[in-house]
Amino acid sequence: LSVQSHFSIGSSLLQIGQIADKAAELGYASVALVDDMSVHALVEFSDKCKAKGIQPVIGCRLRVYDDATYRVPSKSSGIAPKANPMFQPKVYVKSEAGLKSLFKLLTAANTKEQYYYHSRTDLKSLLELEDVVVTTGDMFGLFSHPNATAIASELQRHFGDDFYVELSPVDTPLFDRMNSKAIEFINTFSAAPIVTYPFCYADNADASTLDLMSAIATNTQMSESWRPKQHVKDFAFFEPKDILERVKQAAYRQAKYNGVRDISVWTAGLGYLGEISDKAKYTFDKRDVSLPKFGDDEFKLLCSLCAEGWKKRFSVEVLGHKPSAAELSGVYRDRLRYELNVLKNMGFESYFLLVEDLVAWAKDNGVIVG
């Protein structure tokens, strides 16, 4: 439920084909793609997974800021910058309506008002999503936010059974602390848990390459001491059964360092894994051509427009030449008949009528076309 592709620039190395191949090799029945603020891989990802007999789950990792329009003031302004915390929940699309609502959010996130170093959104926009499953996220998840409990409560009230709290058994003190806070929320508010693990490359040996890609994406020299670094280098695809050992270790650390000795929340989180893929059933299918209908007999209409154009163009000289009657009947008429037959045989008459309509409107309204 937490795979990213090379469309998450600087965060993943996985090519779309690699994801499908690796998932099939390791025996996954479904795989979710959750790129950062992007669904650019939707079509290719769907096709590649279907070809391998794997259910594609369409998702997205969002950057949710307290204020998506905030800009850090310049030093010369004398204005002190304010805190603008961010967290990265994940959403999974359940239907066409859900996908369209996600498109709407991502479109707004890329406007000049909200794009600042990268696309971003806010809690209000997240709550406006329709027909999606929402989780608290793993990387930069909700429980790293100072107001996590209040936000999680609002998400739970709004999305109901389609809201899940993520537990991620990554072996770092940060993830252990976030898991501890997540477990506290789950137990206090009877929230549904889900266990996920981020996959960013095919093999752990590729981790250093991702470091390099991250430096390129952030325009940072590798030698800079403050360069963002991924100290954990364990985000490669592993077999489904391997999650059990990681969960055991995470539960052990929770008991040892945080005093949380109840493993039932982890087993429940594993049990909910199939539920999200069952809900997020949206699949992309190639659509039929969708063009407006200009009349009951569009080919006849196209021919009539050509007849009007014939009269208009050949009544005067064009570039110093006016065809003779012999040329019109012996050359131009045959050429027009040939061209129209090509369009009819290919079913392109509606397309040409649409182009003619757009060009005519543009010319009538002073819009330059070419």
Side-chain angles (χ1 to χ4, degrees):
L1 289 175
S2 192
V3 182
Q4 290 189 285
S5 78
H6 61 288
F7 282 101
S8 294
I9 300 172
S11 297
S12 175
L13 297 175
L14 288 167
Q15 304 285 318
I16 303 302
Q18 269 186 309
I19 294 172
D21 291 344
K22 200 69 179 177
E25 175 191 330
L26 297 176
Y28 283 92
S30 63
V31 60
L33 187 64
V34 286
D35 280 322
D36 293 333
M37 298 298 284
S38 169
V39 286
H40 285 88
L42 185 154
V43 176
E44 184 183 1
F45 174 68
S46 298
D47 291 345
K48 299 280 189 184
C49 285
K50 289 175 186 176
K52 293 289 184 178
I54 296 168
Q55 178 200 345
V57 177
I58 306 303
C60 187
R61 193 190 304 268
L62 304 179
R63 299 188 192 96
V64 178
Y65 281 81
D66 283 3
D67 184 354
T69 63
Y70 177 69
R71 302 289 186 267
V72 177
S74 63
K75 291 182 180 179
S76 60
S77 69
I79 302 172
K82 69 174 185 179
N84 190 26
M86 179 270 290
F87 69 98
Q88 292 190 232
K90 298 206 289 282
V91 299
Y92 303 92
V93 174
K94 295 172 65 177
S95 67
E96 183 84 12
L99 182 65
K100 287 181 178 178
S101 73
L102 179 57
F103 282 163
K104 182 179 178 181
L105 180 150
L106 294 176
T107 299
N110 283 282
T111 59
K112 63 180 181 180
E113 290 78 21
Q114 291 182 210
Y115 191 98
Y116 183 55
Y117 290 98
H118 51 226
S119 53
R120 54 184 69 195
T121 188
D122 54 26
L123 182 60
K124 178 177 178 293
S125 300
L126 174 59
L127 292 169
E128 289 174 352
L129 288 175
E130 302 173 9
D131 220 22
V132 296
V133 174
V134 177
T135 70
T136 54
D138 42 34
M139 297 285 194
F140 304 99
L142 172 56
F143 291 97
S144 63
H145 192 285
N147 199 25
T149 300
I151 295 172
S153 297
E154 189 167 3
L155 292 173
Q156 185 181 28
R157 282 194 302 272
H158 184 81
F159 291 104
D161 292 340
D162 287 330
F163 173 71
Y164 296 83
V165 176
E166 284 193 58
L167 300 172
S168 194
V170 179
D171 186 4
T172 70
L174 172 62
F175 272 92
D176 286 344
R177 177 60 180 151
M178 288 173 60
N179 288 333
S180 178
K181 295 172 74 172
I183 291 170
E184 182 180 353
F185 182 89
I186 290 166
N187 290 332
T188 304
F189 295 93
S190 300
I194 191 78
V195 176
T196 67
Y197 199 96
F199 292 162
C200 302
Y201 30 78
D203 188 275
N204 281 334
D206 298 330
S208 57
T209 306
L210 183 59
D211 255 359
L212 179 61
M213 289 294 292
S214 179
I216 292 171
T218 56
N219 194 27
T220 309
Q221 295 289 334
M222 289 290 287
S223 58
E224 294 288 357
S225 59
W226 49 268
R227 176 178 62 82
K229 298 176 183 178
Q230 186 61 265
H231 293 286
V232 178
K233 302 183 184 297
D234 187 23
F235 296 116
F237 260 93
F238 52 71
E239 292 185 44
K241 64 182 178 61
D242 290 349
I243 193 71
L244 296 175
E245 183 57 36
R246 293 168 192 264
V247 164
K248 289 178 185 177
Q249 293 300 320
Y252 170 78
R253 294 192 301 273
Q254 287 295 316
K256 182 176 181 179
Y257 300 114
N258 297 314
V260 181
R261 304 184 186 282
D262 183 9
I263 197 173
S264 63
V265 69
W266 289 96
T267 55
L270 291 171
Y272 278 116
L273 279 172
E275 189 170 289
I276 290 185
S277 59
D278 287 341
K279 287 181 176 181
K281 284 289 191 182
Y282 170 79
T283 56
F284 173 83
D285 293 306
K286 187 177 180 180
R287 305 300 200 265
D288 292 332
V289 174
S290 179
L291 294 173
K293 193 168 179 63
F294 287 88
D296 293 332
D297 189 338
E298 292 185 309
F299 182 69
K300 183 178 180 180
L301 176 58
L302 180 61
C303 290
S304 68
L305 289 173
C306 289
E308 291 176 18
W310 180 284
K311 293 176 184 177
K312 181 179 178 181
R313 286 184 176 271
F314 296 142
S315 62
V316 295
E317 288 186 358
V318 177
L319 298 177
H321 177 68
K322 184 178 179 181
S324 65
E327 283 182 299
L328 289 176
S329 62
V331 178
Y332 287 82
R333 195 178 302 277
D334 289 344
R335 187 182 298 167
L336 177 59
R337 185 179 292 112
Y338 172 79
E339 296 281 359
L340 286 172
N341 279 330
V342 171
L343 298 184
K344 185 177 183 180
N345 291 336
M346 297 184 72
F348 275 11
E349 53 265 41
S350 60
Y351 168 75
F352 273 76
L353 289 171
L354 176 60
V355 172
E356 189 276 336
D357 189 62
L358 292 171
V359 171
W361 183 93
K363 289 180 176 178
D364 291 343
N365 288 275
V367 178
I368 297 173
V369 293

